Amino acid sequence: MIIGSKIKLCDKRLADARDDYTWRTDLELAQLDAAPLLTISFPQYLLEYTSELCYSSLTRRRFSIQTLDGKHIGNCLYYDINETKGEAELGIMIGNRDYWDKGYGADAVTTLLSYIFRQTKLNRIYLKTLELNHRAQKCFQKCGFTPCGHLFRNGYSFVIMELHRQQQ
Ligand SMILES: CC(C)(COP(=O)(O)OP(=O)(O)OC[C@H]1O[C@@H](n2cnc3c(N)ncnc32)[C@H](O)[C@@H]1OP(=O)(O)O)[C@@H](O)C(=O)NCCC(=O)NCCS
């Protein structure tokens, strides 16, 4: 477990499945993330969830974001880890709207960044977020990310942001 100021990052567990399913079937969250809306049933999702928890990946590390008193409010991860290039992509979602705009996202990102730079040799962390998602961009700017490019994919326009080890 990794402790921040307002949150802790914990390994994913089966008990997160219901929240994760609720968030993955939420249209607004899917749109903010340019992600497809999940259409499978909860029992089917649970089956896939259970088998995914059983294997660990060399190119991805996922965490649940919990408040300090243990409430699951979202998830974050770093993925596409490329040790040759020394970089990885970061992703985050605070699924529980009651916790938006209160600094939980920035604390989760800052806590994850300091973990990555402490525990790995990665030098550059980047992310992409929708051009229209001003909240997310503001959150990432507060954490030290700066825009470094644009991407147009599947009809969506993304801002790419990056942060180097020495900037942290
Ligand atoms: C994006 C997200 C991770 C940010 O986490 P958060 O806890 O809400 O963010 P923070 O409170 O740390 O920072 C948000 C900042 O954006 C500001 N903000 C909110 N709406 C805004 C808007 N429309 N325009 C500009 N700034 C805005 C907030 O005031 C806050 O800034 P402040 O601390 O200076 O007041 C979270 O809101 C989330 O997951 N949202 C839903 C899913 C999503 O957007 N996914 C895509 C992530 S790439």
Side-chain angles (χ1 to χ4, degrees):
M1 184 189 301
I2 310 159
I3 312 274
S5 308
K6 298 168 79 85
I7 55 85
K8 51 190 178 180
L9 304 181
C10 306
D11 287 330
K12 294 297 296 170
R13 45 182 197 152
L14 203 52
D16 295 338
R18 178 50 81 175
D19 289 337
D20 287 345
Y21 181 77
T22 302
W23 299 333
R24 292 283 309 276
T25 52
D26 181 311
L27 182 60
E28 185 192 18
L29 289 176
Q31 286 171 340
L32 284 169
D33 215 12
L37 197 63
L38 199 69
T39 53
I40 58 175
S41 67
F42 182 64
Q44 201 179 341
Y45 179 74
L46 199 55
L47 267 181
E48 292 174 15
Y49 201 93
T50 308
S51 72
E52 219 181 305
L53 280 178
C54 293
Y55 82 92
S56 61
S57 164
L58 288 175
T59 58
R60 186 175 78 155
R61 184 84 203 270
R62 299 185 303 148
F63 298 94
S64 69
I65 304 171
Q66 294 182 13
T67 58
L68 291 177
D69 58 2
K71 185 173 178 51
H72 180 213
I73 59 167
N75 299 300
C76 63
L77 78 165
Y78 60 104
Y79 61 108
D80 279 352
I81 299 170
N82 184 325
E83 284 173 359
T84 311
K85 287 186 171 174
E87 62 184 30
E89 182 159 354
L90 183 142
I92 179 169
M93 184 205 43
I94 305 285
N96 186 325
R97 290 170 175 75
D98 294 345
Y99 291 85
W100 288 1
D101 292 339
K102 294 180 178 147
Y104 287 90
D107 190 41
V109 170
T110 304
T111 304
L112 180 58
L113 287 169
S114 80
Y115 170 83
I116 293 170
F117 290 132
R118 211 172 48 243
Q119 297 294 330
T120 78
K121 295 196 164 103
L122 297 174
N123 285 313
R124 175 179 178 260
I125 302 298
Y126 60 94
L127 58 86
K128 54 182 174 307
T129 186
L130 283 173
E131 200 111 37
L132 54 77
N133 194 337
H134 300 293
R135 174 186 292 114
Q137 286 164 53
K138 177 77 188 295
C139 169
F140 299 135
Q141 272 165 22
K142 288 197 296 177
C143 302
F145 280 90
T146 52
C148 65
H150 293 273
L151 174 72
F152 298 95
R153 185 191 284 172
N154 302 330
Y156 295 107
S157 177
F158 297 89
V159 180
I160 304 171
M161 303 179 85
E162 66 178 357
L163 185 144
H164 291 267
R165 176 183 283 273
Q166 60 271 24
Q167 290 171 259
Q168 231 244 330

